[in-house]
Amino acid sequence: MVQPPSRKRATGRVTLADVARLAGVSPITVSRALRGERAVDPALAARAQDAARELGYVPDLAARTLASRHGTHVAVLIPMLSNALFVDMLEALQAVLRRAGYQTLIGITHYDAEEEEQLLREQLAHRPAGLMVTGLDHSAATLEMMAHSGVPCVHLMETSDGAGVYSVGLSQAEAGAAMTRHLLERGRRRIAFAAAQLDPRTLQRLDGWRRELRAAGLHDAALEWCDPAPSSLALGGRMFEDILRRDPAVDAVFFCNDDLAQGALLAAQRLGVAVPGRIAVAGFNDLVGSELMVPALTTVRTPRREIGEVGARLLLQLIRQEPPAQASIDLGFTLVVREST
Amino acid sequence: MVQPPSRKRATGRVTLADVARLAGVSPITVSRALRGERAVDPALAARAQDAARELGYVPDLAARTLASRHGTHVAVLIPMLSNALFVDMLEALQAVLRRAGYQTLIGITHYDAEEEEQLLREQLAHRPAGLMVTGLDHSAATLEMMAHSGVPCVHLMETSDGAGVYSVGLSQAEAGAAMTRHLLERGRRRIAFAAAQLDPRTLQRLDGWRRELRAAGLHDAALEWCDPAPSSLALGGRMFEDILRRDPAVDAVFFCNDDLAQGALLAAQRLGVAVPGRIAVAGFNDLVGSELMVPALTTVRTPRREIGEVGARLLLQLIRQEPPAQASIDLGFTLVVREST
DNA sequence: CTGAAAGCGCTTACAG
DNA sequence: CTGAAAGCGCTTACAG
């Protein structure tokens, strides 16, 4: 499969010039015909296309990028692939971009600002046509690179009010508040907030929870269970046990992500703790499996597929230099009440 | 954020020539110093590096790719991102490639041969330095493109015996057989095989199961529950219910993937079916959560992180034209017996 | 609607 | 160890 390094310069590839020769037109006409750019005489275009097909011509994207000064791909930066949330968003955005002829270059930041910075630098070196990043919170260097590059950028998952920043997402704080109100309405009085990872969006949910509990006069700092470790089923189970043991008066736990909440439900089952009888459990994001848990998990459904789609469409507009109707698009959320609260 | 289209040709980018001018050396010397290629006088190299840093120089990868005739990235083709198996493999392989200076271009085939073909075509147009694909089963056109491109390629997840095909994986049939033997040893007599997606690896597991049941004189075609729909928790629950209702004599179900088995466990709980008392449930892959289920799921652990790592290292060898010790690497599997069987 | 010229920013291959 | 020349394969900008 591995070829010996060729001694000569030529690559043996079929080039635009080869196609042009066979079609009997100039290379630039072939280029235009193949890209569907400008008006090309239909007869010539057909000849160019036939010749390209006959020779199995594949355009060299590196050459195209160099000549046109922008790639045919979009760089996307997300924190993790092991969170179904981002996978869903990614698949949706990729489908939209693909239909528009753009490929997707994925970078995983692992929630690390320095890694994000380095990834962005690498991705910018590829001259992407557009950029999609997760959230609004970035290091000064990252922000500077994004601005300096002149590459259009869409921020995903959150909503912004700053000028010149394009974003598609939802108000994480509002969503956190809505779940807290639901728990309050169910008569819960001592509602813990259990969080992992502690990324900006998690902290915004925490803010929403705080606001509602304070308004109800029920806030207590001891109710905040924040662990910077990555979110996981196992961690959720451990946090749940901890809370039960160290603060038995807690009658509800609002987990910042469904994987934690699912882990808690599994732990409850193993420990024989009645949910929601003894204690209510709520999650966030409505990840796969939450509706199948026993009891089925109450959660907040976040529209990540739509965020991906709408975000990709917004980016496409920016790439085409069409002014978008609005810079920040709030796609909202849905409270999904099931059996666990 | 969006820049107006510049009228002039120059991009305003800092180029190698700018760095060379500042450093007082030729561009080619800067190029060599920055890439660490060949011996460059340490003093000159330092000047070049300082100048590059001062100007914030970012090499144009499109130009580099065009000039050197191969990119600094590896194209990876996987079926799905919503299967944790592939995400784990991807993260592992990406970490290895990244350290070696290669970026990863991910393509999702959705288990569709035509989509795979088109993705490969697009990816090859980017001139990747290497290629990683899932499994050994590909359309004739895909195989032809891979061979014709001359790009080194590693096949993941399965083991091959064909010459010239590099692969890292495990024997899916052996693993399927091992789980079946375990169930037999536990005294189960009517062991169903429940599968979704029906991709090549699933069918190889099915073969292993068949072989063992036939050897035991216990095979029955009615025990094969194959559904081409995508694998999911919900589908696993439905299949489990179906099997219980339509073939009550079944005393064990071997699911081809853990998500199906987890769904079955959840359904069992909801239905009040005792596992493993009334019926045993086994899975495959040891996905996240399987050890936390109630009862904890018996499964086969597949070394997907190692597959990603070893696969990436093998590809790196091929890219550097070092002859690998062996073309096909079998990383094996582990039977993980827990509570559900 | 079509094309000749120039150039995108880098690296290869060669000579010294 | 260093560099001038040529070229990678395409598209832009201009002229017709």
Side-chain angles (χ1 to χ4, degrees), chain B residues 5 22 25 52 64-65 122 137 176 182 184 188 210 221 238 258 282 301 304 322 326:
Chain B
L22 180 63
V25 295
R64 174 177 293 177
T65 299
E122 288 172 13
D137 212 60
H182 160 71
L184 252 10
R188 305 290 168 170
R210 264 192 203 134
R238 266 180 271 130
D258 270 13
R301 181 176 304 147
R304 61 254 191 203
E322 302 164 6
Q326 42 182 157

Side-chain angles (χ1 to χ4, degrees), chain A residues 197-233:
Chain A
Q197 193 63 61
L198 311 185
D199 59 282
R201 288 158 299 289
T202 293
L203 298 179
Q204 290 158 26
R205 289 167 211 156
L206 170 62
D207 277 345
W209 167 88
R210 265 192 202 134
R211 200 177 73 203
E212 294 299 322
L213 282 202
R214 283 194 178 130
L218 294 170
H219 182 259
D220 173 354
L223 289 171
E224 299 184 4
W225 298 76
C226 292
D227 188 328
S231 191
S232 72
L233 286 166

Side-chain angles (χ1 to χ4, degrees), chain B residues 155-220:
Chain B
H155 300 250
L156 300 164
M157 298 310 292
E158 301 176 38
T159 53
S160 65
D161 30 76
V165 176
Y166 298 98
S167 66
V168 178
L170 64 135
S171 168
Q172 306 277 343
E174 281 310 318
M179 177 58 84
T180 308
R181 279 196 302 276
H182 160 71
L183 261 7
L184 252 10
E185 280 160 17
R186 283 287 208 249
R188 305 290 168 170
R189 312 310 288 165
R190 193 158 175 81
I191 303 169
F193 185 84
Q197 194 61 60
L198 312 184
D199 58 283
R201 288 159 298 289
T202 293
L203 298 179
Q204 290 158 28
R205 290 167 211 157
L206 171 62
D207 277 345
W209 165 87
R210 264 192 203 134
R211 200 178 71 203
E212 293 299 322
L213 282 201
R214 283 194 178 129
L218 295 169
H219 182 259
D220 173 353

Side-chain angles (χ1 to χ4, degrees), chain A residues 11 15-16 28 31 35 57 60 64 67:
Chain A
T11 55
T15 72
L16 208 50
I28 179 62
S31 169
R35 277 176 303 135
Y57 171 67
D60 185 316
R64 174 178 293 177

Side-chain angles (χ1 to χ4, degrees), chain A residues 20-255:
Chain A
R21 214 169 298 126
L22 179 62
V25 295
S26 75
I28 179 62
T29 297
V30 177
S31 169
R32 290 202 267 250
L34 261 32
R35 277 176 303 135
E37 186 235 21
R38 299 231 298 218
V40 174
D41 183 272
L44 293 192
R47 273 201 298 179
Q49 264 141 8
D50 287 349
R53 197 172 312 116
E54 189 174 332
L55 295 175
Y57 171 67
V58 178
D60 185 316
L61 263 22
R64 174 178 293 177
T65 299
L66 181 58
S68 68
R69 254 125 24 255
H70 60 262
T72 53
H73 65 274
V74 166
V76 181
L77 251 27
I78 59 169
M80 294 226 110
L81 233 31
S82 46
N83 187 338
L85 182 75
F86 299 116
V87 169
D88 289 346
M89 189 175 76
L90 206 52
E91 294 215 321
L93 110 214
Q94 205 161 22
V96 173
L97 293 176
R98 201 141 180 283
R99 259 177 271 134
Y102 290 94
Q103 282 159 281
T104 307
L105 188 62
I106 301 166
I108 318 289
T109 67
H110 300 103
Y111 289 105
D112 182 309
E114 216 169 307
E115 224 174 309
E116 179 174 62
E117 217 172 290
Q118 205 192 320
L119 276 167
L120 182 63
R121 196 184 321 278
E122 288 173 14
Q123 293 193 330
L124 252 18
H126 278 291
R127 293 180 176 260
L131 193 58
M132 305 188 86
V133 300
T134 305
L136 297 167
D137 212 61
H138 306 283
S139 76
T142 296
L143 255 15
E144 149 71 16
M145 290 179 69
M146 295 193 321
H148 192 83
S149 73
V151 176
C153 179
V154 169
H155 300 252
L156 300 165
M157 298 309 291
E158 300 176 38
T159 53
S160 64
D161 31 77
V165 176
Y166 297 98
S167 65
V168 179
L170 64 134
S171 168
Q172 305 277 343
E174 281 308 319
M179 176 59 83
T180 308
R181 280 197 301 277
H182 160 71
L183 261 8
L184 252 10
E185 280 160 18
R186 284 288 209 246
R188 306 289 168 170
R189 312 308 290 164
R190 193 158 175 80
I191 303 169
F193 185 84
Q197 193 63 61
L198 311 185
D199 59 282
R201 288 158 299 289
T202 293
L203 298 179
Q204 290 158 26
R205 289 167 211 156
L206 170 62
D207 277 345
W209 167 88
R210 265 192 202 134
R211 200 177 73 203
E212 294 299 322
L213 282 202
R214 283 194 178 130
L218 294 170
H219 182 259
D220 173 354
L223 289 171
E224 299 184 4
W225 298 76
C226 292
D227 188 328
S231 191
S232 72
L233 286 166
L235 179 59
R238 266 180 272 131
M239 292 182 98
F240 187 66
E241 278 195 62
D242 262 20
I243 294 171
L244 285 174
R245 194 177 55 236
R246 292 161 61 179
D247 191 348
V250 166
D251 58 5
V253 186
F254 174 14
F255 286 94

Side-chain angles (χ1 to χ4, degrees), chain B residues 319-332:
Chain B
I319 290 174
R320 297 180 188 129
Q321 319 231 19
E322 302 164 6
Q326 42 182 157
S328 180
I329 302 176
D330 186 344
L331 257 21

